[in-house]
């Protein structure tokens, strides 16, 4: 693994400083943030590094794979996807649902690990890596100097649907940036929504006004970050190799920031490491290319295209990146949507409380399948009856897991 240079020429110190900035700001936009205190470490760095390597080698999270495929975006960017087929499609003659999952910024399709585990073999599903993320190619337009835009991501999603799910009803699922991608698709391709989309699932996402988010910082700190972040990111992106060395050298700080801004409760160390791996695998220049798109993102009016569809909106009540009021704004525009507020959850509720999220998603699939007459295995209906706490919806002794149930 590459290391910074020695103290004699100052390269090591510069790499470490750049790494602190790069890790903090990169994770901020991806599911963590700068300017927070890292919890006190009680074991040696070498032991912690060995623990991370052990989790990477043995951890079961993020290991599920489907049938791979690729397609090309309008600018030639190669987009990677995987398809999971239903094991035994029901035979009522109607086309089955295909669920298309779009992940968040600086993550990849493995962020849907628990939803994939719960649904594999039961419904047809498409998981894809957004441009410059995961196994997809680096954005060709970005290599040519163009800024990444949410509208472009919406067109990328259309290309993936055309290649991996060209027929039959769709349920569109998006987390964070992935939800914004779905909104951009709806705005640009309303005929696709009208003709084929049977339901939509938004998790930890926003339809706009992200520039006003405080990130859990004091007002002055949040304002300073908004002013400084674009320029700092551009500078870091221009020194990508140096920053990447620094990020590796400051892995403990990185892990603490990821935990603070991704989760609001204690999670399995393997789950926390999965989040770290996804975020740290995103190059700093990719972080820099995408960051401006979020302050420019305004898709509240695009939601009108989705009005009337079965819709589920999931929000962590302690999400510092897309606070609860952003989900509430979506539901105001989609009055038929069901809002589920997950207590003690951060930005990655789909990894933090997977049983609850899976049950709510299954309930959406049952509703969506019913509206279009699509077949659905009884196992999905059974999953929908579980409330995520070990009980079932028809168990009067079970505690309600979230608002909106």
């Amino acid at each position: 693994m590459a290391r910074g240079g020695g103290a004699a020429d100052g390269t090591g110190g510069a790499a470490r400083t750049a790494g602190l900035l790069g890790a903090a700001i990169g994770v901020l936009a991806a599911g963590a943030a700068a300017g927070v205190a890292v919890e006190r470490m009680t074991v040696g760095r070498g032991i912690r590094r060995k623990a991370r390597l052990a989790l990477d080698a043995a951890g079961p999270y993020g290991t599920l794979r489907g049938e791979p495929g690729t397609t090309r975006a309008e600018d030639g960017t190669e987009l990677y996807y995987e398809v999971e087929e239903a094991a035994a499609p029901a035979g009522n003659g109607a086309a089955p649902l295909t669920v298309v999952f779009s992940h968040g910024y600086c993550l990849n399709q493995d962020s849907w690990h628990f939803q994939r585990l719960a649904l594999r073999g039961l419904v047809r599903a498409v998981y894809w890596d957004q441009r410059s993320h995961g196994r997809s190619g680096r954005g060709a337009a970005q290599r040519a100097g163009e800024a990444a835009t949410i509208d472009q991501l919406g067109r990328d999603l259309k290309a993936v649907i055309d290649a991996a799910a060209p027929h039959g009803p769709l349920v569109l699922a998006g987390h964070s940036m992935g939800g914004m991608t779905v909104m951009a698709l709806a705005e640009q391709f309303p005929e696709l929504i009208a003709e084929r989309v049977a339901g939509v699932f938004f998790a930890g996402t926003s339809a706009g006004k992200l520039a006003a988010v405080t990130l859990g910082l004091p007002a002055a700190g949040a304002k300073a970050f908004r002013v400084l972040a674009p320029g700092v990111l551009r500078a870091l992106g221009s020194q990508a190799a140096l920053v990447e060395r620094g990020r590796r050298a400051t892995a403990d700080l990185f892990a603490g920031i990821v935990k603070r801004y991704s989760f609001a409760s204690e999670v399995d160390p393997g789950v926390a490491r999965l989040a770290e791996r996804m975020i740290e695998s995103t190059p700093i220049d990719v972080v820099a290319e995408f960051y401006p798109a979020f302050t420019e993102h305004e898709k509240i009016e695009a939601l009108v295209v989705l009005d009337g569809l079965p819709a589920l909106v999931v929000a962590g009540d302690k999400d510092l990146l897309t606070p609860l009021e952003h989900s509430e704004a979506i539901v105001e525009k989609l009055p038929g949507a069901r809002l589920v507020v997950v207590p003690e959850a951060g930005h990655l509720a789909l990894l933090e409380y997977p049983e609850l999220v899976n049950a709510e998603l299954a309930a959406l699939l049952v509703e969506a399948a019913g509206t279009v007459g699509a077949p659905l295995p009884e196992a999905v209906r059974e999953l929908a009856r579980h409330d995520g706490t070990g009980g079932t919806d028809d168990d009067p002794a079970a505690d309600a897991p979230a608002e909106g149930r």
Side-chain angles (χ1 to χ4, degrees):
M1 191 173 287
R3 298 182 182 273
D9 62 4
T11 304
R16 186 174 183 83
T17 300
L20 290 170
L21 286 170
I25 294 174
V27 175
L28 161 68
V36 299
V38 180
E39 61 191 42
R40 183 175 299 172
M41 301 298 180
T42 58
V43 294
R45 177 177 295 178
I47 295 175
R48 294 194 300 273
R49 182 174 181 275
K50 288 180 181 178
R52 285 194 296 270
L53 292 174
L55 287 170
D56 289 345
Y61 307 118
T63 59
L64 302 178
R65 301 268 68 90
E67 183 66 27
T70 60
T71 190
R72 294 280 176 178
E74 61 186 8
D75 65 348
T77 300
E78 185 174 81
L79 303 173
Y80 176 86
Y81 61 84
E82 293 178 3
V83 178
E84 299 260 12
E85 298 288 355
N92 68 353
L97 290 175
T98 296
V99 190
V100 183
F101 291 87
S102 300
H103 66 78
Y105 180 31
C106 294
L107 302 174
N108 60 50
Q109 63 177 269
D110 292 340
S111 62
W112 297 104
H113 173 87
F114 290 107
Q115 291 67 52
R116 190 171 192 162
L117 183 63
L119 295 176
R120 66 185 339 202
L122 301 180
V123 299
R124 189 174 193 273
V126 175
Y127 303 86
W128 70 294
D129 293 331
Q130 303 221 48
R131 63 171 54 220
S132 301
H133 292 71
R135 294 173 174 82
S136 283
R138 185 64 177 275
Q142 285 65 63
R143 289 200 308 270
E146 295 182 22
T149 68
I150 301 299
D151 285 343
Q152 185 177 57
L153 300 183
R155 295 191 292 274
D156 289 352
L157 176 54
K158 176 62 161 55
V160 170
I161 290 171
D162 288 346
H167 309 291
L170 304 169
V171 172
L172 304 177
H175 168 249
S176 193
M177 181 179 77
M180 303 174 203
T181 300
V182 171
M183 296 174 202
L185 174 80
E187 183 177 61
Q188 297 173 93
F189 303 98
E191 68 286 352
L192 173 68
I193 305 300
E195 294 170 5
R196 297 189 55 202
V197 175
V200 62
F201 169 40
F202 292 124
T205 192
S206 173
K209 296 184 171 57
L210 283 168
V213 174
T214 68
L215 308 166
L217 301 173
K223 181 178 180 181
F225 184 87
R226 288 195 296 270
V227 171
L228 295 173
V232 172
L233 279 170
R234 284 195 299 272
L236 291 173
S238 68
Q239 300 291 328
L242 179 64
V243 172
E244 295 306 326
R245 290 199 297 272
R247 285 171 78 174
R248 291 191 289 270
T250 56
D252 292 333
L253 173 63
F254 190 89
I257 295 172
V258 170
K259 183 177 179 181
R260 170 73 174 91
Y261 280 84
S262 297
F263 308 109
S265 64
E266 289 299 318
V267 297
D268 184 318
V271 172
R273 181 58 191 152
L274 170 62
E276 291 171 36
R277 281 204 315 272
M278 289 187 288
I279 295 170
E280 70 188 12
S281 69
T282 307
I284 190 63
D285 40 351
V286 172
V287 176
E289 288 167 0
F290 277 77
Y291 180 78
F294 298 102
T295 57
E296 297 168 4
H297 169 65
E298 293 293 339
K299 297 295 183 192
I300 194 71
E301 295 305 323
L303 293 172
V304 174
V305 179
L306 302 169
D307 191 17
L309 293 173
L312 169 66
V313 180
V314 170
D317 71 341
K318 290 182 170 54
D319 188 340
L320 298 175
L321 298 170
T322 52
L324 174 58
E325 55 264 31
H326 289 252
S327 291
E328 292 172 336
I330 292 172
V331 172
E332 285 180 12
K333 213 66 177 175
L334 299 176
R338 188 157 53 94
L339 174 63
V340 175
V341 182
V342 186
E344 300 300 317
H347 191 57
L348 290 177
L350 62 163
L351 288 174
E352 193 170 9
Y353 292 97
E355 290 185 359
L356 189 155
V357 173
N358 292 348
E360 299 292 352
L361 174 57
L364 173 69
L365 297 182
V366 170
E367 184 181 2
T371 63
V372 296
L376 204 63
E378 181 58 30
V380 178
R381 303 178 193 280
E382 180 63 27
L383 180 61
R385 286 192 281 270
H386 285 274
D387 65 7
T389 65
T392 60
D393 282 350
D394 55 4
D395 178 1
D399 294 329
E403 296 178 23
R405 289 284 286 168

